[in-house]
Amino acid sequence: LGLSKIPRLLDLFARRFQVQERITRQVAESLAEILSPRAVAVRIEASHLCMMMRGVEKQCSHTVTEFQLGAEQLTDSERKRLWEAL
């Protein structure tokens, strides 16, 4: 899987009207299905125009969501390395 495929996968799900938490889960599940790894961890940090332009108007706000699959199968040190890489 080339690095350029990950943003494409994200764009595929982000075009739909949905919440960031669901996109994070869908990306993790897709990567798990395509690659069949022992574990997958996805962290998405996004700026939301609805927060920047309307309502609270917080210009520098970012929302971070995380989702993992199979992490319970990893050792503590592997799990720590996985999250440090993100």
Side-chain angles (χ1 to χ4, degrees):
L1 178 74
L3 222 60
S4 67
K5 301 300 185 270
I6 295 173
R8 288 182 188 180
L9 182 62
L10 183 62
D11 286 343
L12 174 77
F13 293 118
R15 288 186 182 167
R16 303 174 188 167
F17 184 69
Q18 60 181 323
V19 294
Q20 183 175 334
E21 292 84 358
R22 188 176 304 129
I23 294 170
T24 307
R25 179 179 46 81
Q26 288 173 327
V27 169
E29 289 172 346
S30 295
L31 289 172
E33 184 179 327
I34 293 165
L35 301 173
S36 300
R38 288 178 43 217
V40 172
V42 173
R43 176 182 290 156
I44 295 179
E45 181 177 337
S47 299
H48 294 266
L49 292 177
C50 61
M51 288 184 64
M52 295 167 60
M53 299 175 72
R54 302 181 325 185
V56 293
E57 295 185 14
K58 295 294 181 184
Q59 298 301 315
C60 296
S61 62
H62 299 280
T63 304
V64 178
T65 53
E66 299 173 343
F67 191 83
Q68 61 183 4
L69 292 168
E72 65 279 353
Q73 299 174 16
L74 302 176
T75 65
D76 288 339
S77 63
E78 289 173 326
R79 195 175 307 117
K80 182 179 176 185
R81 263 193 8 238
L82 178 66
W83 285 106
E84 285 175 355
L86 296 177

